[in-house]
PDB file of all heavy atoms in Angstrom:
ATOM      1  N   HIS A 314     101.787  70.768  74.943  1.00 34.00           N
ATOM      2  CA  HIS A 314     101.371  70.525  73.560  1.00 34.00           C
ATOM      3  C   HIS A 314     102.580  70.554  72.621  1.00 34.00           C
ATOM      4  O   HIS A 314     102.682  69.767  71.687  1.00 34.00           O
ATOM      5  CB  HIS A 314     100.346  71.564  73.138  1.00 34.00           C
ATOM      6  CG  HIS A 314      99.975  71.466  71.684  1.00 34.00           C
ATOM      7  ND1 HIS A 314      99.364  70.357  71.160  1.00 34.00           N
ATOM      8  CD2 HIS A 314     100.159  72.347  70.665  1.00 34.00           C
ATOM      9  CE1 HIS A 314      99.167  70.546  69.868  1.00 34.00           C
ATOM     10  NE2 HIS A 314      99.640  71.739  69.541  1.00 34.00           N
ATOM     11  N   ALA A 338      91.810  72.017  74.018  1.00 39.00           N
ATOM     12  CA  ALA A 338      90.577  72.520  74.633  1.00 39.00           C
ATOM     13  C   ALA A 338      90.872  73.352  75.859  1.00 39.00           C
ATOM     14  O   ALA A 338      90.194  74.320  76.134  1.00 39.00           O
ATOM     15  CB  ALA A 338      89.676  71.335  74.972  1.00 39.00           C
ATOM     16  N   GLU A 358     107.736  99.243  85.756  1.00 54.00           N
ATOM     17  CA  GLU A 358     108.375 100.433  85.188  1.00 54.00           C
ATOM     18  C   GLU A 358     107.938 101.697  85.907  1.00 54.00           C
ATOM     19  O   GLU A 358     108.713 102.623  86.096  1.00 54.00           O
ATOM     20  CB  GLU A 358     108.051 100.540  83.686  1.00 54.00           C
ATOM     21  CG  GLU A 358     108.808  99.547  82.821  1.00 54.00           C
ATOM     22  CD  GLU A 358     110.304  99.671  82.981  1.00 54.00           C
ATOM     23  OE1 GLU A 358     110.814 100.806  82.953  1.00 54.00           O
ATOM     24  OE2 GLU A 358     110.986  98.648  83.157  1.00 54.00           O
ATOM     25  N   LYS A 360     107.249 102.043  89.002  1.00 54.00           N
ATOM     26  CA  LYS A 360     107.977 102.141  90.262  1.00 54.00           C
ATOM     27  C   LYS A 360     109.376 102.722  90.059  1.00 54.00           C
ATOM     28  O   LYS A 360     109.963 103.293  90.973  1.00 54.00           O
ATOM     29  CB  LYS A 360     108.080 100.782  90.934  1.00 54.00           C
ATOM     30  CG  LYS A 360     106.740 100.233  91.395  1.00 54.00           C
ATOM     31  CD  LYS A 360     106.933  98.847  92.014  1.00 54.00           C
ATOM     32  CE  LYS A 360     105.595  98.251  92.446  1.00 54.00           C
ATOM     33  NZ  LYS A 360     105.767  96.907  93.028  1.00 54.00           N
ATOM     34  N   PHE A 431     123.420  89.565 119.151  1.00 83.00           N
ATOM     35  CA  PHE A 431     124.377  89.418 118.062  1.00 83.00           C
ATOM     36  C   PHE A 431     125.642  90.214 118.359  1.00 83.00           C
ATOM     37  O   PHE A 431     125.567  91.420 118.653  1.00 83.00           O
ATOM     38  CB  PHE A 431     123.735  89.913 116.758  1.00 83.00           C
ATOM     39  CG  PHE A 431     124.581  89.699 115.538  1.00 83.00           C
ATOM     40  CD1 PHE A 431     124.607  88.481 114.895  1.00 83.00           C
ATOM     41  CD2 PHE A 431     125.344  90.751 115.021  1.00 83.00           C
ATOM     42  CE1 PHE A 431     125.386  88.303 113.754  1.00 83.00           C
ATOM     43  CE2 PHE A 431     126.121  90.570 113.896  1.00 83.00           C
ATOM     44  CZ  PHE A 431     126.138  89.328 113.261  1.00 83.00           C
ATOM     45  N   ILE A 566     128.801 116.358 103.099  1.00 98.00           N
ATOM     46  CA  ILE A 566     127.842 115.407 102.545  1.00 98.00           C
ATOM     47  C   ILE A 566     128.023 114.015 103.127  1.00 98.00           C
ATOM     48  O   ILE A 566     129.141 113.580 103.375  1.00 98.00           O
ATOM     49  CB  ILE A 566     127.971 115.382 100.996  1.00 98.00           C
ATOM     50  CG1 ILE A 566     126.817 114.585 100.380  1.00 98.00           C
ATOM     51  CG2 ILE A 566     129.325 114.794 100.568  1.00 98.00           C
ATOM     52  CD1 ILE A 566     126.746 114.721  98.861  1.00 98.00           C
ATOM     53  N   PHE A 581     126.519  86.753 103.900  1.00 82.00           N
ATOM     54  CA  PHE A 581     126.366  87.383 105.203  1.00 82.00           C
ATOM     55  C   PHE A 581     124.943  87.291 105.717  1.00 82.00           C
ATOM     56  O   PHE A 581     124.458  88.209 106.397  1.00 82.00           O
ATOM     57  CB  PHE A 581     126.798  88.859 105.109  1.00 82.00           C
ATOM     58  CG  PHE A 581     128.156  89.049 104.510  1.00 82.00           C
ATOM     59  CD1 PHE A 581     128.312  89.821 103.359  1.00 82.00           C
ATOM     60  CD2 PHE A 581     129.264  88.465 105.071  1.00 82.00           C
ATOM     61  CE1 PHE A 581     129.558  90.007 102.786  1.00 82.00           C
ATOM     62  CE2 PHE A 581     130.528  88.650 104.523  1.00 82.00           C
ATOM     63  CZ  PHE A 581     130.682  89.418 103.373  1.00 82.00           C
ATOM     64  N   ARG A 590     115.636  92.140 105.340  1.00 84.00           N
ATOM     65  CA  ARG A 590     115.023  90.917 104.843  1.00 84.00           C
ATOM     66  C   ARG A 590     113.587  91.164 104.363  1.00 84.00           C
ATOM     67  O   ARG A 590     113.153  90.633 103.339  1.00 84.00           O
ATOM     68  CB  ARG A 590     114.972  89.853 105.940  1.00 84.00           C
ATOM     69  CG  ARG A 590     116.312  89.368 106.419  1.00 84.00           C
ATOM     70  CD  ARG A 590     116.121  88.418 107.615  1.00 84.00           C
ATOM     71  NE  ARG A 590     117.387  87.944 108.117  1.00 84.00           N
ATOM     72  CZ  ARG A 590     118.106  86.969 107.562  1.00 84.00           C
ATOM     73  NH1 ARG A 590     117.647  86.373 106.489  1.00 84.00           N
ATOM     74  NH2 ARG A 590     119.238  86.590 108.088  1.00 84.00           N
ATOM     75  N   MET A 592     111.831  93.987 103.558  1.00 90.00           N
ATOM     76  CA  MET A 592     111.414  95.064 102.695  1.00 90.00           C
ATOM     77  C   MET A 592     112.045  94.970 101.311  1.00 90.00           C
ATOM     78  O   MET A 592     113.066  94.327 101.113  1.00 90.00           O
ATOM     79  CB  MET A 592     111.738  96.408 103.348  1.00 90.00           C
ATOM     80  CG  MET A 592     111.158  96.528 104.742  1.00 90.00           C
ATOM     81  SD  MET A 592     111.239  98.176 105.431  1.00 90.00           S
ATOM     82  CE  MET A 592     109.781  98.879 104.684  1.00 90.00           C
ATOM     83  N   VAL A 600     113.432 103.812 103.590  1.00 94.00           N
ATOM     84  CA  VAL A 600     113.862 103.544 104.958  1.00 94.00           C
ATOM     85  C   VAL A 600     115.178 104.243 105.224  1.00 94.00           C
ATOM     86  O   VAL A 600     115.374 104.878 106.270  1.00 94.00           O
ATOM     87  CB  VAL A 600     113.989 102.017 105.187  1.00 94.00           C
ATOM     88  CG1 VAL A 600     114.668 101.750 106.526  1.00 94.00           C
ATOM     89  CG2 VAL A 600     112.615 101.367 105.189  1.00 94.00           C
ATOM     90  N   LYS A 627     119.015  96.532  85.209  1.00 71.00           N
ATOM     91  CA  LYS A 627     117.668  97.117  85.122  1.00 71.00           C
ATOM     92  C   LYS A 627     116.792  96.417  84.100  1.00 71.00           C
ATOM     93  O   LYS A 627     115.571  96.544  84.126  1.00 71.00           O
ATOM     94  CB  LYS A 627     117.759  98.601  84.745  1.00 71.00           C
ATOM     95  CG  LYS A 627     118.507  99.450  85.747  1.00 71.00           C
ATOM     96  CD  LYS A 627     118.591 100.885  85.258  1.00 71.00           C
ATOM     97  CE  LYS A 627     119.369 101.775  86.207  1.00 71.00           C
ATOM     98  NZ  LYS A 627     119.459 103.157  85.717  1.00 71.00           N
ATOM     99  N   LEU A 657     123.862 125.520 111.104  1.00 92.00           N
ATOM    100  CA  LEU A 657     123.131 126.093 112.232  1.00 92.00           C
ATOM    101  C   LEU A 657     122.954 127.594 112.052  1.00 92.00           C
ATOM    102  O   LEU A 657     123.834 128.268 111.522  1.00 92.00           O
ATOM    103  CB  LEU A 657     123.879 125.835 113.540  1.00 92.00           C
ATOM    104  CG  LEU A 657     123.701 124.472 114.218  1.00 92.00           C
ATOM    105  CD1 LEU A 657     124.716 124.337 115.353  1.00 92.00           C
ATOM    106  CD2 LEU A 657     122.291 124.336 114.772  1.00 92.00           C
ATOM    107  N   SER A 668     113.428 130.377 113.246  1.00 93.00           N
ATOM    108  CA  SER A 668     114.504 129.698 112.516  1.00 93.00           C
ATOM    109  C   SER A 668     115.666 129.360 113.444  1.00 93.00           C
ATOM    110  O   SER A 668     116.270 128.280 113.354  1.00 93.00           O
ATOM    111  CB  SER A 668     114.998 130.557 111.357  1.00 93.00           C
ATOM    112  OG  SER A 668     114.004 130.684 110.372  1.00 93.00           O
ATOM    113  N   ALA A 693     108.892 130.209 120.131  1.00 95.00           N
ATOM    114  CA  ALA A 693     109.144 131.516 119.511  1.00 95.00           C
ATOM    115  C   ALA A 693     108.202 132.567 120.096  1.00 95.00           C
ATOM    116  O   ALA A 693     108.622 133.705 120.379  1.00 95.00           O
ATOM    117  CB  ALA A 693     108.977 131.424 117.995  1.00 95.00           C
ATOM    118  N   ALA A 698     107.400 137.130 124.013  1.00 92.00           N
ATOM    119  CA  ALA A 698     106.630 137.697 125.118  1.00 92.00           C
ATOM    120  C   ALA A 698     107.494 138.169 126.271  1.00 92.00           C
ATOM    121  O   ALA A 698     107.036 138.943 127.135  1.00 92.00           O
ATOM    122  CB  ALA A 698     105.622 136.668 125.622  1.00 92.00           C
ATOM    123  N   ARG A 895     101.942 129.066 107.320  1.00 56.00           N
ATOM    124  CA  ARG A 895     103.155 128.286 107.056  1.00 56.00           C
ATOM    125  C   ARG A 895     102.844 127.045 106.217  1.00 56.00           C
ATOM    126  O   ARG A 895     103.571 126.705 105.282  1.00 56.00           O
ATOM    127  CB  ARG A 895     103.798 127.870 108.389  1.00 56.00           C
ATOM    128  CG  ARG A 895     105.110 127.131 108.213  1.00 56.00           C
ATOM    129  CD  ARG A 895     105.775 126.902 109.540  1.00 56.00           C
ATOM    130  NE  ARG A 895     104.892 126.210 110.469  1.00 56.00           N
ATOM    131  CZ  ARG A 895     105.237 125.862 111.705  1.00 56.00           C
ATOM    132  NH1 ARG A 895     106.415 126.205 112.150  1.00 56.00           N
ATOM    133  NH2 ARG A 895     104.390 125.216 112.488  1.00 56.00           N
ATOM    134  N   ASP A 908     104.952 119.840  90.106  1.00 57.00           N
ATOM    135  CA  ASP A 908     104.594 120.167  88.723  1.00 57.00           C
ATOM    136  C   ASP A 908     105.811 120.106  87.822  1.00 57.00           C
ATOM    137  O   ASP A 908     105.737 119.643  86.689  1.00 57.00           O
ATOM    138  CB  ASP A 908     103.974 121.571  88.664  1.00 57.00           C
ATOM    139  CG  ASP A 908     102.585 121.616  89.315  1.00 57.00           C
ATOM    140  OD1 ASP A 908     101.997 120.538  89.500  1.00 57.00           O
ATOM    141  OD2 ASP A 908     102.108 122.724  89.625  1.00 57.00           O
TER     142      ASP A 908
END
Side-chain angles (χ1 to χ4, degrees):
H314 174 63
E358 286 303 313
K360 294 179 182 179
F431 185 83
I566 190 170
F581 308 121
R590 295 175 181 280
M592 305 191 83
V600 170
K627 298 178 182 179
L657 277 170
S668 293
R895 184 173 55 179
D908 290 344

